[in-house]
């Protein structure tokens, strides 16, 4: 019998997204895939007919949190069944990919389990689940999932606002010894150039002004153009900057080994490429970097930073740090602290090392005690926070181009983002939403800046209508 996808009906969809920006993007594309089949997104699981947990395996105790949420959803479903209702439960993402069999064994309430490479098949999987099957799809399919997803419509894009994530690369071939990504996302693949450009054009038509390009190693992007020529991330950024409406481009997450001369030169020459770069090192100790299989030294990383700042002197840096990796000594940790101070990170993501089953790090000796990890995490966070606040203060008195994104918390106030991803609040009319305007920074607060609009050109009527439409959805 041929399987059919669900017929369009008035169904409600809630997707709970854990973890990284790529999961946010994936959740949006799942919603796109289900929209033609009658599923409308809602803001709470209590209002949904289908709940999907889009999981992340990076955070500590990730799977335990997922099983806890499944238990809550099971109770909700059981209560509904007492009054003739029901609830479908799906688990997606990296925990599903890594622990699909365990989810099936421990959580019989779950109707379908599927990995990051399978969500383009979600309507088909859901049809099978509606027919009573417990569906598990955690294979790595040969087909390109992006080619099988429906294009996002302009009106859908409009609801998502002025900024958007756009996945251009997936998977990883680096095999860092602490990381599950190669096992959950697969090997490195890059989307064809024209496919990325088409999606970006749709986003721009829907009002998006700022794109953040996503990939596990996004600066390893090597997509093919229409002539079969390999294109790097630098050229991709340039081509995206030519799309009408796209004014800002960012990308994350990068690997030091993939910062090419072309990409660094693009930071120098392309105004649309924002002066804020996330470039993880993970540790400031060469011994720990070797144990992590990072394949670069501290000196090589610092040389990359020097090349970047020579090309773009106003570049602000962000990073990732793992403390308490197996074998990390006090001296190793102090070396990490030295790198933090020397680079002068404006922000960073910091983590205590936690064992990921199936990775080389899980079987290493000399595991660091939890108390020592916690102490080191506190110290590095204090240093990063000090530097972040100093960076906020360093822009006071400067005039920065700010993308106005939304109304403020108070009447007459609006909010936006600086080129450095800082939240900026100022007095101004909501008709400015969607514009990039010069703002003098007058005050730095703990997590945001206060600004004063310098000058504003009158927008054309069409942009006013578009901005009003965007504001209505925010």
């Amino acid at each position: 019998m041929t399987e059919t996808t669900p017929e369009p009906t008035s169904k409600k969809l809630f997707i709970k997204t854990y973890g990284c920006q790529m999961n946010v993007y994936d959740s949006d594309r799942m919603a796109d895939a289900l929209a033609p089949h009658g599923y409308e997104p809602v803001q709470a699981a209590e209002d949904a007919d289908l709940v999907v947990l889009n999981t992340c395996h990076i955070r500590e105790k990730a799977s335990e949190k997922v099983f806890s949420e499944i238990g809550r959803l099971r109770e909700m479903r059981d209560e509904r069944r007492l009054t003739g209702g029901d609830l479908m439960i799906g688990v997606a993402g990296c925990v599903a990919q890594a622990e699909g069999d365990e989810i099936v064994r421990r959580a019989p309430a779950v109707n379908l389990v599927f990995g990051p490479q399978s969500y383009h098949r979600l309507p088909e999987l859901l049809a099978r689940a509606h027919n009573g099957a417990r569906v598990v799809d955690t294979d790595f399919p040969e087909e390109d999932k992006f080619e099988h997803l429906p294009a996002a419509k302009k009106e859908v894009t409009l609801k998502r606002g002025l900024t958007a994530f756009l996945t251009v690369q997936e998977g990883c071939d680096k095999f860092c010894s602490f990381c599950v990504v190669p096992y959950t996302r697969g090997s490195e693949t890059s989307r064809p150039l024209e496919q990325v450009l088409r999606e970006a054009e749709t986003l721009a038509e829907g009002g998006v002004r700022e794109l953040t390009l996503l990939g596990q190693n996004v600066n390893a992007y090597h997509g093919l153009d229409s002539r079969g020529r390999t294109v790097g991330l630098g050229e991709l950024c340039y081509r995206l900057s030519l799309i009408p409406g796209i004014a800002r481009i960012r990308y994350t997450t990068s690997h030091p080994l993939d910062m090419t001369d072309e990409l660094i030169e693009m930071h120098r020459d392309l105004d649309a490429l924002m002066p804020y770069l996330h470039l993880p090192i993970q540790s400031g100790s060469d011994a720990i970097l070797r144990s992590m299989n990072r394949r670069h030294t501290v000196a090589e990383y610092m040389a990359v930073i020097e090349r970047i700042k020579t090309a773009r002197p106003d570049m602000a840096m962000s990073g990732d740090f793992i403390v308490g990796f197996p074998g990390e000594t006090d001296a190793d940790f102090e070396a990490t602290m030295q790198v933090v101070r020397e680079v002068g990170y404006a922000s960073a993501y910091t983590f205590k090392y936690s064992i990921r089953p199936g990775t080389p790090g899980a079987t290493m000796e000399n595991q660091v005690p939890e108390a020592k990890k916690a102490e080191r995490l506190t110290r590095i966070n204090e240093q990063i926070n000090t530097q972040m606040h100093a960076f906020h203060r360093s822009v006071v008195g400067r005039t920065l181009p700010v993308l106005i994104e939304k109304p403020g918390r108070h009447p007459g106030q609006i909010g936006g983002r600086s080129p450095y991803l800082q939240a900026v609040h100022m007095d101004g009319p909501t008709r400015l939403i969607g514009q990039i305007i010069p703002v003098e920074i007058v005050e730095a607060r703990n997590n945001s800046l206060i600004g004063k609009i310098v000058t504003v050109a009158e927008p054309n009527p069409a942009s006013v209508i578009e901005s009003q439409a965007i504001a209505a959805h925010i």
Side-chain angles (χ1 to χ4, degrees):
M1 180 179 294
T2 303
E3 290 171 352
T4 59
T5 54
E7 291 300 317
T9 56
S10 180
K11 295 284 188 180
K12 305 299 183 184
L13 167 69
F14 176 72
I15 303 177
K16 182 169 184 175
T17 306
Y18 300 79
C20 66
Q21 294 99 326
M22 190 172 285
N23 268 16
V24 175
Y25 174 87
D26 286 350
S27 292
D28 285 344
R29 299 318 309 273
M30 287 182 214
D32 293 340
L34 288 175
H37 303 280
Y39 281 85
E40 277 185 35
V42 293
Q43 299 301 311
E46 290 75 9
D47 300 325
D49 301 292
L50 168 64
V51 173
V52 176
L53 305 179
N54 190 13
T55 62
C56 174
H57 215 299
I58 299 300
R59 296 288 185 176
E60 189 174 9
K61 299 181 179 177
S63 57
E64 286 88 341
K65 293 175 183 176
V66 171
F67 283 114
S68 175
E69 184 65 17
I70 291 171
R72 188 180 77 85
L73 293 173
R74 185 196 67 238
E75 292 176 0
M76 185 188 306
R77 184 206 61 187
D78 292 346
E79 289 177 5
R80 286 192 190 180
R81 286 181 173 176
L82 293 175
T83 57
D86 207 350
L87 175 67
M88 297 286 287
I89 302 171
V91 180
C94 291
V95 173
Q97 185 72 41
E99 302 186 37
D101 291 340
E102 181 70 0
I103 292 170
V104 170
R105 185 184 69 81
R106 286 181 54 185
V110 173
N111 301 98
L112 60 163
V113 178
F114 55 100
Q117 305 307 322
S118 303
Y119 64 75
H120 62 296
R121 295 201 290 256
L122 184 50
E124 171 196 332
L125 302 179
L126 190 56
R128 289 163 54 191
H130 274 297
N131 288 332
R134 291 192 73 199
V135 178
V136 180
D137 190 338
T138 54
D139 293 333
F140 288 98
E142 293 183 4
E143 76 265 23
D144 178 358
K145 69 181 179 186
F146 297 103
E147 284 287 2
H148 290 78
L149 285 166
K153 297 179 180 179
K154 176 180 176 180
E155 57 267 25
V156 173
T157 302
L158 188 63
K159 293 179 182 179
R160 291 178 185 161
L162 295 159
T163 62
F165 296 125
L166 175 53
T167 293
V168 302
Q169 181 270 344
E170 274 198 289
C172 183
D173 297 337
K174 300 294 193 291
F175 286 92
C176 296
S177 59
F178 54 81
C179 185
V180 298
V181 164
Y183 312 103
T184 59
R185 291 272 180 176
S187 59
E188 270 183 16
T189 59
S190 296
R191 297 177 67 183
L193 173 68
E194 306 303 329
Q195 188 186 97
V196 174
L197 295 178
R198 286 197 305 271
E199 186 169 340
E201 287 166 357
T202 299
L203 292 169
E205 289 168 2
V208 168
R209 303 297 314 280
E210 176 177 300
L211 288 176
T212 298
L213 310 182
L214 301 179
Q216 269 77 40
N217 282 321
V218 67
N219 57 339
Y221 175 81
H222 56 278
L224 299 179
D225 69 7
S226 57
R227 295 175 291 167
R229 183 177 60 95
T230 299
V231 172
L233 186 65
E235 183 173 343
L236 173 62
C237 289
Y238 171 72
R239 293 288 299 275
L240 289 168
S241 73
L242 300 178
I243 296 173
I246 300 299
R248 290 181 164 187
I249 300 169
R250 307 180 189 274
Y251 59 88
T252 192
T253 290
S254 302
H255 195 285
L257 296 178
D258 296 313
M259 287 301 302
T260 64
D261 290 340
E262 177 194 59
L263 181 55
I264 292 173
E265 289 166 5
M266 203 58 67
H267 276 288
R268 179 194 64 200
D269 300 334
L270 188 62
D271 289 340
L273 202 50
M274 291 294 96
Y276 180 87
L277 178 60
H278 185 69
L279 190 65
I281 184 174
Q282 306 298 358
S283 173
S285 161
D286 282 340
I288 296 300
L289 289 175
R290 283 194 299 273
S291 187
M292 288 178 166
N293 194 36
R294 289 290 290 173
R295 294 192 280 171
H296 62 79
T297 65
V298 173
E300 288 166 342
Y301 177 87
M302 297 301 290
V304 172
I305 296 289
E306 180 64 25
R307 288 164 55 209
I308 292 166
K309 291 197 171 183
T310 298
R312 188 71 192 256
D314 65 336
M315 182 71 77
M317 299 301 303
S318 172
D320 283 354
F321 293 92
I322 296 173
V323 301
F325 190 77
E328 184 185 66
T329 65
D330 288 343
D332 292 326
F333 176 70
E334 290 302 328
T336 296
M337 293 292 286
Q338 178 58 30
V339 167
V340 171
R341 290 187 287 263
E342 190 172 341
V343 174
Y345 294 95
S347 67
Y349 299 99
T350 58
F351 309 89
K352 290 188 298 182
Y353 172 73
S354 59
I355 290 174
R356 293 291 177 266
T359 63
T363 59
M364 288 181 179
E365 298 179 354
N366 300 319
Q367 298 284 333
V368 176
E370 285 298 317
K372 178 66 73 174
K373 292 181 193 178
E375 175 195 340
R376 290 173 180 172
L377 186 67
T378 297
R379 283 190 57 200
I380 196 170
N381 282 342
E382 288 174 349
Q383 181 64 37
I384 293 292
N385 287 335
T386 296
Q387 292 177 191
M388 180 185 70
H389 295 149
F391 180 71
H392 285 345
R393 292 193 298 272
S394 75
V395 300
V396 173
R398 291 177 59 185
T399 296
L400 301 176
V402 174
L403 172 60
I404 307 302
E405 297 179 319
K406 58 187 178 181
R409 301 188 190 99
H410 309 292
Q413 191 181 69
I414 51 178
R417 294 277 172 180
S418 80
Y420 304 110
L421 268 183
Q422 299 151 304
V424 185
H425 305 289
M426 71 220 81
D427 292 333
T430 56
R431 66 176 174 81
L432 298 179
I433 291 172
Q435 294 192 54
I436 296 173
I437 61 175
V439 175
E440 181 186 356
I441 307 304
V442 298
E443 182 183 347
R445 296 184 177 176
N446 283 342
N447 297 303
S448 64
L449 305 173
I450 304 300
K452 180 175 65 176
I453 295 173
V454 177
T455 56
V456 178
E458 285 298 318
N460 63 54
S463 67
V464 171
I465 293 171
E466 188 78 11
S467 297
Q468 289 172 341
I470 293 169
H473 288 292
I474 295 175

